[in-house]
């Protein structure tokens, strides 16, 4: 999840095209007593930014501030808690931010330069397994100058550093309420964002209200937001149809999207909004497992998997096959996996296994999360199992776990093969390669390739023109294809279902595809 690839990609991610129902492009009307309820199947795994490199960012963007951020339509980070930020040298190794005046956290503490330093330093110091510390690999030290100036000194050139600071992982926290050596786990938040977290019930609800002391870029069009977390998308859709929630975000199945679009008479008063997504799904092979560690086994799987059938049967046009870890719309996208493996071919897969002396069928266990990426995840893995077993080359056992247990499992290296989803921190090719390689990747299994980590990525980060880094990432993908440690499956689209009286959906998703709750409002009249 790193930087901005191009103006075109920014426009695609920031804009939404209406597919059904009335338009969302309407005047906001009255801002008095605006209360919105939003449903999602993606509940936070943590409320502490130092532990979050996942969908927890959804809530964090709305209750914390970062120094810089991505307002809707922006193509590069813009000031939020900061008044100004910029590199002070030609080598992109010193990044200085000057804070806005008189900022405070919700507990009354000053949000000053020392608080900024404390917030970022604790991410590195705690170094939470699977958390965002890995994003700060280029950070050497943080210097404060007075109350309002912070200078980030880097250990190498990194033109992506401002984009990293713009992610919710770099949210600013009140030092008095967040220990420097431990993750906060009391279900509370002390931030300075657009909203205050009034109450939180894990996997159930988050109650937000306007922060009266907020000083940032967000123009809040409502007074309060209730976020309801659903385990099943069907329950979320039922709640929408019953007017128990005003809008949904993340988790709609393909069948539900198609049904809401096609059955207009049955869904009167509802609308569907589509956004071009940069989210991807892929399989991860764990080298600790004897079968998954064998390149021949991984390549045989790559020869058998039928992405077209997977997308058609499970996602019904709400996703598209992906043959690259870098999705369409991002600089550096290729069709490298198709170029290497072509259409599904059981004979080639069998030949690969035979030449390596691998006995058939290969027994493997595939793991997936039951509550992170929507209700279609289980059918997706059932289809993968069907395809692989139909080849006669594999015997697949499926296992599912809720996200928190699932995350613990893959971070401990317990799963031979598992499915991961990736929503970009920011849309740049770096963010679809760098997080998955190195000693501590977000997949939990070390993936050491010196050419990628020591040559290609460092060279690309010296380039401020992000459209000019395609060659480095095309080469990186050649390496990924040859290793098949990661197998891309599909690229998704994002859908918001909402009542016709809800406006602001066309602006609600920022370039990181994170929901900016403040953009939603209830229309005063039609």
């Amino acid at each position: 999840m790193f930087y901005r690839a191009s103006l075109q990609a920014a426009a695609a991610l920031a804009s939404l095209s209406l597919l059904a129902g009335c338009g969302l492009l309407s005047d906001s009307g009255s801002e008095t007593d605006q209360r919105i309820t939003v449903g999602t199947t993606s509940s936070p795994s943590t409320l502490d930014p130092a532990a979050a490199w996942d969908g927890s960012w959804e809530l964090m963007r709305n209750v914390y501030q970062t120094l810089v951020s991505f307002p809707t339509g922006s193509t590069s980070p813009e000031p939020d808690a900061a008044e100004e930020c910029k590199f002070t040298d030609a080598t992109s190794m010193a990044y200085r931010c000057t804070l806005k005046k008189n900022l405070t956290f919700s507990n009354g503490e000053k949000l000053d330069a020392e608080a900024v330093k404390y917030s970022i330093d604790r991410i590195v110091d705690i170094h939470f397994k699977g958390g965002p510390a890995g994003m700060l690999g280029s950070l050497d030290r943080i210097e404060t100058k007075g109350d309002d100036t912070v200078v980030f000194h880097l250990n190498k050139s990194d033109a992506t550093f401002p984009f990293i600071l713009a992610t919710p992982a770099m949210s600013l926290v009140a030092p008095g309420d967040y220990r420097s050596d431990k993750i906060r786990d009391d279900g509370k938040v002390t931030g300075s964002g657009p909203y205050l977290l009034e109450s939180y019930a894990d996997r159930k609800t988050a109650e937000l209200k306007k922060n009266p002391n907020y000083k940032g870029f967000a123009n809040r069009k409502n007074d309060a937001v209730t976020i309801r977390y659903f385990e099943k998308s069907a329950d979320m859709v039922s709640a929408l149809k019953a007017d128990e929630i005003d809008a949904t975000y993340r988790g709609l199945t393909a069948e539900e999207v198609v049904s809401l679009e096609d059955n207009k008479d049955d869904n009167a008063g509802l609308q569907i909004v589509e956004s071009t997504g940069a989210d991807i799904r892929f399989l991860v092979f764990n080298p600790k497992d004897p079968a998954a560690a064998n390149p021949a086994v991984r390549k045989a799987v790559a020869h058998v998997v039928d992405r077209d059938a997977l997308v058609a049967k499970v996602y019904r046009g709400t996703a598209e096959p992906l043959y690259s870890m870098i999705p369409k719309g991002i600089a550096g996208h290729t069709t490298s996996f198709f170029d290497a493996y072509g259409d599904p071919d059981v004979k080639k897969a069998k030949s690969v296994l035979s030449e390596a002396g691998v006995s058939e069928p290969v027994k493997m266990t595939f793991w997936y999360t039951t509550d992170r990426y929507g209700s279609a995840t289980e059918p997706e893995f059932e289809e993968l199992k069907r395809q692989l077993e139909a080849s006669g080359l594999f015997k697949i056992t499926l296992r599912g776990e809720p996200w928190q247990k699932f995350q613990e499992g893959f971070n401990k290296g317990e799963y031979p093969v598992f499915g991961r989803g990736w929503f970009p921190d920011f849309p740049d090719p770096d963010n679809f390669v760098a997080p998955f390689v190195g000693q501590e990747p977000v997949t939990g299994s070390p993936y050491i390739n010196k050419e990628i980590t020591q040559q290609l990525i460092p060279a690309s980060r010296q380039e401020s023109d992000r459209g000019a880094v395609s060659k480095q990432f095309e080469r990186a993908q050649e390496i990924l294809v040859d290793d098949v440690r990661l197998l891309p499956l599909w690229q998704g689209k994002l859908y918001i279902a909402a009542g016709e009286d809800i406006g602001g959906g066309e602006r609600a998703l920022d370039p990181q595809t994170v929901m900016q709750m403040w953009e939603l409002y209830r229309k005063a009249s039609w």
Side-chain angles (χ1 to χ4, degrees), residues 86-96 154 156-159 461-465:
K86 63 181 181 180
F87 280 108
T88 61
D89 64 332
T91 58
S92 299
M93 292 184 65
Y95 191 68
R96 183 179 65 201
L154 309 184
K156 53 191 171 185
S157 297
D158 189 357
R461 289 179 177 176
Q462 295 179 26
E463 180 58 67
S464 59
D465 178 4

Side-chain angles (χ1 to χ4, degrees), residues 473-512:
F473 288 103
E474 287 172 4
R475 172 56 188 153
Q477 288 183 91
E478 290 176 1
I479 296 170
L480 297 180
V481 167
D482 188 55
D483 291 345
V484 203
R485 285 282 303 279
L486 309 168
L487 184 65
L489 296 174
W490 55 267
Q491 174 178 353
K493 302 175 184 178
L494 296 177
Y495 294 88
I496 296 175
E500 287 183 339
D501 63 332
I502 299 300
E506 80 287 351
R507 294 182 55 82
L509 301 181
D510 72 4
Q512 299 162 307

Side-chain angles (χ1 to χ4, degrees), residues 96-99 112-114 142-151:
R96 183 179 65 201
C97 290
T98 303
L99 295 174
D112 56 13
E114 285 297 332
I142 304 173
E143 177 187 10
T144 61
K145 296 184 177 181
D147 288 341
D148 63 354
T149 301
V150 183
V151 181

Side-chain angles (χ1 to χ4, degrees), residues 4-6 159 331 428 460-470:
R4 207 7 141 215
S6 65
D428 184 277
S460 73
R461 289 179 177 176
Q462 295 179 26
E463 180 58 67
S464 59
D465 178 4
R466 302 313 300 163
V469 298
S470 294

Side-chain angles (χ1 to χ4, degrees), residues 2-10 13 75 163 326 329-332 426-429 465-469:
F2 278 81
Y3 8 50
R4 207 7 141 215
S6 65
L7 292 175
Q8 182 179 5
L13 286 166
T75 59
F163 298 86
I326 300 173
I330 304 296
F426 44 93
D428 184 277
D465 178 4
R466 302 313 300 163
V469 298

